Amino acid sequence: MGSFATWFRYIIHKVQYSVSLSWKNYKIGEITDKQVNENVFKNVFQGKLTYLHYSKGEEMAPTVSSHGGTLLVRRLPTVDPKTVFVGDVVALKDPQNPDNSIVRRLAAVEGEEMLSTDEKEEPFFLEKDQCWVISDNESLSPKDACDSRIFGPVPMSNILGRVIYCLRSSVDHGPIINSLSLSDHTKESPFFAVMLLCRKTLQSWLWSLMLMRWQGTPGHEVYSLISIRLIC
């Protein structure tokens, strides 16, 4: 069972996320002012702060294995230089195929000057809501890395979330090294703790299920017990 402080911080994060998301939906006209409060409560109880993303390829090695890895992505209701930082590993819509998403590291944000090693290319500044993303694998050519050196600046609004954990295998997993602003993981630690707690609880339920079935407990009774634990 997680500590009270961990759960409290997790709930605070969830309320902040729900309020920000509802306000964003209100400003773009998806909900009315009368629906804001209802939407906040709905997101608090039903919304998810994280999602899983499977990434495969050499572009983000060694952060993500070239053989693939399952990533835990923290959703961000609003994306700007105050919520994501240079050095963060982010999931974003693929600029070349918006139906897909890719994972890259944020290298620069709006207002920063971009300089090229090619003297023929003129320096330029990233405009408002623009960012520059790169792959972690420095051994790849720009074409193989498929980052902003190929498709240019991307809108920050294309960022879906910050990658905070990587599961490469059952014995190789851990937090993602993001920007210095998050280097101590204090802002993300409630998510790690709650996710690990849920993982351990699920494993416990599965072991209980297999044990009861092995002991001959009727199937419908097993599933009833599991349902009660899920509700609690």
Side-chain angles (χ1 to χ4, degrees):
M1 187 72 179
S3 68
F4 173 79
T6 296
W7 278 102
F8 180 76
R9 289 167 60 196
Y10 180 81
I11 292 171
I12 290 297
H13 277 296
K14 196 159 191 180
V15 171
Q16 291 175 337
Y17 170 84
S18 301
V19 171
S20 299
L21 183 61
S22 299
W23 181 247
K24 176 184 176 181
N25 292 338
Y26 169 69
K27 288 198 297 183
I28 62 178
E30 288 189 359
I31 59 175
T32 65
D33 55 344
K34 296 181 180 180
Q35 296 175 307
V36 171
N37 290 338
E38 178 184 345
N39 207 57
V40 169
F41 283 107
K42 180 179 179 181
N43 286 324
V44 167
F45 291 104
Q46 298 181 5
K48 295 182 179 179
L49 293 178
T50 58
Y51 70 94
L52 297 178
H53 172 80
Y54 182 74
S55 178
K56 185 177 182 180
E58 299 182 347
E59 294 86 354
M60 289 302 293
T63 304
V64 182
S65 170
S66 58
H67 299 295
T70 301
L71 308 176
L72 180 65
V73 183
R74 179 184 172 185
R75 299 178 188 272
L76 299 171
T78 57
V79 180
D80 56 48
K82 295 181 181 179
T83 57
V84 286
F85 313 97
V86 171
D88 284 353
V89 176
V90 296
L92 67 153
K93 295 178 182 178
D94 187 344
Q96 299 174 316
N97 185 3
D99 292 333
N100 295 333
S101 58
I102 59 174
V103 173
R104 295 292 184 271
R105 192 175 295 272
L106 191 63
V109 295
E110 59 184 58
E112 296 190 33
E113 184 178 15
M114 306 304 299
L115 301 173
S116 174
T117 55
D118 186 348
E119 296 181 355
K120 297 179 181 180
E121 296 184 9
E122 295 290 332
F124 64 94
F125 287 89
L126 292 176
E127 299 178 0
K128 185 175 177 59
D129 189 43
Q130 284 188 336
C131 65
W132 194 266
V133 295
I134 59 173
S135 71
D136 273 7
N137 194 339
E138 297 180 354
S139 65
L140 296 180
S141 67
K143 182 179 179 181
D144 292 331
C146 192
D147 54 24
S148 285
R149 291 172 294 175
I150 295 298
F151 48 69
V154 297
M156 289 198 73
S157 54
N158 278 14
I159 295 177
L160 304 173
R162 180 188 296 111
V163 181
I164 61 176
Y165 204 88
C166 179
L167 176 65
R168 303 172 190 87
S169 70
S170 60
V171 294
D172 182 14
H173 55 86
I176 291 290
I177 302 301
N178 280 305
S179 68
L180 293 176
S181 301
L182 298 167
S183 59
D184 59 357
H185 300 298
T186 55
K187 294 183 179 179
E188 309 293 3
S189 57
F191 299 96
F192 299 143
V194 171
M195 289 299 293
L196 289 174
L197 174 64
C198 292
R199 179 170 174 246
K200 290 178 181 178
T201 303
L202 180 58
Q203 287 177 335
S204 174
W205 290 340
L206 291 175
W207 277 113
S208 298
L209 174 61
M210 288 189 290
L211 179 61
M212 286 187 288
R213 290 306 300 271
W214 179 73
Q215 292 175 338
T217 305
H220 66 279
E221 293 184 14
V222 172
Y223 298 130
S224 295
L225 289 170
I226 296 296
S227 299
I228 291 172
R229 293 186 183 182
L230 283 170
I231 293 171
C232 295

